[in-house]
């Protein structure tokens, strides 16, 4: 392994892909600056699957000898096994995952290994690997989104008759069912799920065959490779294929939306579990204590989700900024696409998993919530609505109730005469999408139908093991 900062270790002979064009080895500082293996080793499985499919096609097309094709494939399967057993030591001086795997293959089968790269470049290779990686991760995230959605539905069903204040401007506004509030989050995660699904459909194009940028002189069969790797179609333009990272940016944007939704929910849980609200308690297993204040049970999980949202936004901006001034086609800048994608992937997986656990362990205090929802001021809209039923225009009714509240606020105690109960108020909103019992039951029914319909479509994490 090339040692960082060891200026004396520059190899005098050029080797690997430098053999031929270069007079000597790389400056060791530059070698480590240039290398991506420390992070792109994550793509090992996709890289090997892609190469196996490519070699299958090369042999089928008579571009390489079928026996050599089989030797390469067996060798790659062994390399995969070695990596998975932790037996392959990745080398910084071999730059990236592609060269590391090629060299590991050469160590097993000799120079035939070099034939796998016929009609291919690392440019289309890495474009393929990242697409496959993002496809797999999107499917995992979709599953995790479904788990969060299921948790929200279960809590909503169990708390159908708990009533709480609904808020605008974080001021008590109108009473709502807790289930109605929770199902609002279901809608967000449902849209997130759909967004990932839409993106995976859009990115379902196989870029291999584009080679460096212009395509290849060999008689390749791109459709065959697409089919072997479970892509629906091949990309249409070789230059776009090696330069395009739209799918990665879209993945990051979708990740930002998930994090933003999780962060809003986390913020509510922080508020609700505070002594000021006292609406719920978070499961002990997801809280931590204070080193000095024995009474503290801190909502760290929620706070971390809220904060990590920022780093995922940063990941999106980092990639968009890398892309914004790149001329066609491949530029080494594109190597900087991976760390944001990996960081966002880890953060979204972690946050969704933690949120599932939090939701499952939430305990609500129905009395505290009802008490807060029994604040007479919260009935103001309903009182105005009553006046409207007596024929008074709404704007006038609004002013009259407002004036009554102002005079009573001045006399500190609010008395409204016959104020509707929180139960009456939520039940008065019995249309579709409203907080009435039937409306919420309808939402839950639709949500379950959504889960059922899409559960069938949940695809395995990796569609081809090679
Ligand atoms: N490690 C490179 C990347 O991630 C692979 C492609 C390198 N291609 C090249 N022409 N240098 O983008």
């Amino acid at each position: 392994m090339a040692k960082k900062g060891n200026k004396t270790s520059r190899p005098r002979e050029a080797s690997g892909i430098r053999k031929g064009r270069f007079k000597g080895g790389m400056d060791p500082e530059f070698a480590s600056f240039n290398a991506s293996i420390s992070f792109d080793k994550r793509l090992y499985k996709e890289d090997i699957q892609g190469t196996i499919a490519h070699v299958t096609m090369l042999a089928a097309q008579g571009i390489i000898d079928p026996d050599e094709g089989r030797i390469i494939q067996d060798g790659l399967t062994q390399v995969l096994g070695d990596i998975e057993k932790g037996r392959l030591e990745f080398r910084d001086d071999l730059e990236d995952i592609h060269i590391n795997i090629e060299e590991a293959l050469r160590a097993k089968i000799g120079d035939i290994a070099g034939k796998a790269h016929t009609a291919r470049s690392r440019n289309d290779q890495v474009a393929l690997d990242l697409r496959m990686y993002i496809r797999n991760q999107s499917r995992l995230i979709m599953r995790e989104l479904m788990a969060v959605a299921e948790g929200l539905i279960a809590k909503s069903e169990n708390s159908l008759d708990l009533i709480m204040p609904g808020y605008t401007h974080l001021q008590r506004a109108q009473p709502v069912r807790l289930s109605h509030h929770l199902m609002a989050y279901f809608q967000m995660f449902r849209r997130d799920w759909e967004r990932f699904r839409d993106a995976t459909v859009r990115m379902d194009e196989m870029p291999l065959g584009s080679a460096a940028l212009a395509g290849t002189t060999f008689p390749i069969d791109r459709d065959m490779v697409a089919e072997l790797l479970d892509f629906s179609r091949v990309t249409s333009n070789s230059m776009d294929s090696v330069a395009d990272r739209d799918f990665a940016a879209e993945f990051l944007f979708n990740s930002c939306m998930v994090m933003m939704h999780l962060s809003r929910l986390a913020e509510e849980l922080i508020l609700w579990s505070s002594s000021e609200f006292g609406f719920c308690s978070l499961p002990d297993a997801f809280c931590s204590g204070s080193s000095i204040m024995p009474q503290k049970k801190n909502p760290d999980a929620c706070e971390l989700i809220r904060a990590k949202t920022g780093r995922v936004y940063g990941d999106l901006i980092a990639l968009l900024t890398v892309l914004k001034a790149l001329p066609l086609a491949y530029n080494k800048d594109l190597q900087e696409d991976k760390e944001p994608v990996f960081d966002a992937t880890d953060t979204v997986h972690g946050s969704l998993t933690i949120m599932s656990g939090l939701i499952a362990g939430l305990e609500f205090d129905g009395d505290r919530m009802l008490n807060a929802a029994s604040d007479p001021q919260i009935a103001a809209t309903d009182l105005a609505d009553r006046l409207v039923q007596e024929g008074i225009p709404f704007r006038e009714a609004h002013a009259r109730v407002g004036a009554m509240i102002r005079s009573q606020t001045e006399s500190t105690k609010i008395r409204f005469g016959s104020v509707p109960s929180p139960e009456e108020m939520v039940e008065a909103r019995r249309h579709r999408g409203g907080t009435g019992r039937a409306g919420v039951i309808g939402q839950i029914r639709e949500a379950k139908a959504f889960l059922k319909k899409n559960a069938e479509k949940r695809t395995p994490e990796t569609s081809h093991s090679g």
Side-chain angles (χ1 to χ4, degrees), residues 213-235:
L213 78 163
T216 174
T217 55
F218 293 95
I220 54 171
D221 180 351
R222 298 187 65 206
D223 291 309
M224 179 182 181
V225 179
E227 206 184 315
L228 287 170
L229 295 173
D230 203 22
F231 282 90
S232 310
R233 54 195 183 276
V234 300
T235 53

Side-chain angles (χ1 to χ4, degrees), residues 36 40 96 98 122-123 126 330 332 334-335 338:
S36 54
D40 70 12
D96 56 25
H98 322 296
R122 275 187 296 167
N123 299 352
V126 74
Y330 179 86
K332 189 66 172 250
L334 290 173
Q335 182 165 286
K338 289 168 207 65

Side-chain angles (χ1 to χ4, degrees), residues 23 46 112 154 160 173 201 205 299 301 326 335-336 347 381 383 404 412 427 452:
K23 219 159 123 203
E46 288 80 6
I112 301 173
L160 208 57
V201 171
E205 297 180 348
L326 292 187
Q335 182 165 286
E336 291 287 312
T347 310
T381 314
L383 290 176
M404 181 161 72
T412 70
E427 269 324 278
K452 192 160 171 248

Side-chain angles (χ1 to χ4, degrees), residues 45-229:
K45 208 191 273 170
E46 288 80 6
D47 195 75
I48 290 176
Q49 285 170 5
T51 305
I52 288 177
H54 179 66
V55 168
T56 305
M57 179 278 289
L58 292 179
Q61 294 294 100
I63 299 170
I64 63 169
D65 177 83
D67 291 332
E68 290 180 337
R70 260 186 299 278
I71 293 170
I72 295 173
Q73 289 174 335
D74 292 346
L76 282 169
T77 306
Q78 286 175 40
V79 172
L80 179 64
D82 288 353
I83 296 174
E84 288 189 326
K85 289 182 198 104
R87 283 208 215 113
L88 183 73
E89 210 190 305
F90 291 117
R91 283 168 48 189
D92 229 17
D93 62 317
L94 296 177
E95 279 190 40
D96 56 25
I97 187 63
H98 322 296
I99 310 284
N100 266 274
I101 287 174
E102 189 176 318
E103 286 306 310
L105 181 63
R106 189 184 318 282
K108 287 200 188 293
I109 65 170
D111 284 339
I112 301 173
K115 297 201 176 185
H117 212 56
T118 313
R120 189 177 66 168
S121 153
R122 275 187 296 167
N123 299 352
D124 57 345
Q125 187 176 0
V126 74
L128 172 72
D129 292 2
L130 193 63
R131 263 179 206 263
M132 289 171 64
Y133 180 84
I134 288 180
R135 178 171 71 176
N136 290 336
Q137 297 305 319
S138 298
R139 288 172 179 163
L140 282 177
I141 290 172
M142 286 165 75
R143 254 187 257 173
E144 291 158 0
L145 281 166
M146 284 295 204
V148 170
E150 269 168 33
L152 288 167
I153 293 172
K155 279 285 154 186
S156 301
E157 277 194 304
N158 287 340
S159 62
L160 208 57
D161 291 314
L162 298 191
I163 295 178
M164 64 182 293
Y167 295 83
T168 63
H169 312 272
L170 202 58
Q171 314 274 328
R172 287 174 187 163
Q174 292 170 351
V176 293
R177 289 178 189 283
L178 167 66
S179 46
H180 194 52
H181 196 134
L182 294 176
M183 289 305 287
Y185 283 95
F186 167 83
Q187 296 299 332
M188 298 177 220
F189 296 121
R190 183 214 14 114
R191 289 193 295 272
D192 289 337
W193 186 93
E194 289 175 346
R195 223 171 262 118
F196 276 101
R197 181 203 50 197
D198 296 350
T200 51
V201 171
R202 191 159 26 258
M203 68 180 283
D204 185 15
E205 297 180 348
M206 203 288 298
L208 220 56
S210 305
L213 78 163
T216 174
T217 55
F218 293 95
I220 54 171
D221 180 351
R222 298 187 65 206
D223 291 309
M224 179 182 181
V225 179
E227 206 184 315
L228 287 170
L229 295 173

Side-chain angles (χ1 to χ4, degrees), residues 336-412:
E336 291 287 312
D337 61 358
K338 289 168 207 65
E339 283 168 294
V341 167
F342 297 154
D343 182 68
T345 302
D346 292 345
T347 310
V348 171
H349 286 319
S351 304
L352 283 169
T353 307
I354 298 296
M355 187 54 87
S356 284
L358 270 169
I359 292 170
L362 280 180
E363 279 176 19
F364 290 97
D365 186 335
D367 293 338
R368 283 283 299 225
M369 290 192 291
L370 186 61
N371 193 42
S374 305
D375 174 352
Q377 285 208 40
I378 216 172
T381 314
D382 292 58
L383 290 176
D385 285 354
R386 270 190 201 168
L387 296 177
V388 169
Q389 275 152 20
E390 289 162 21
I392 298 169
F394 181 77
R395 197 46 69 217
E396 168 67 21
H398 180 278
R400 281 200 211 173
V401 176
M404 181 161 72
I405 289 178
R406 190 177 62 186
S407 67
Q408 300 209 1
T409 314
E410 280 158 8
S411 72
T412 70

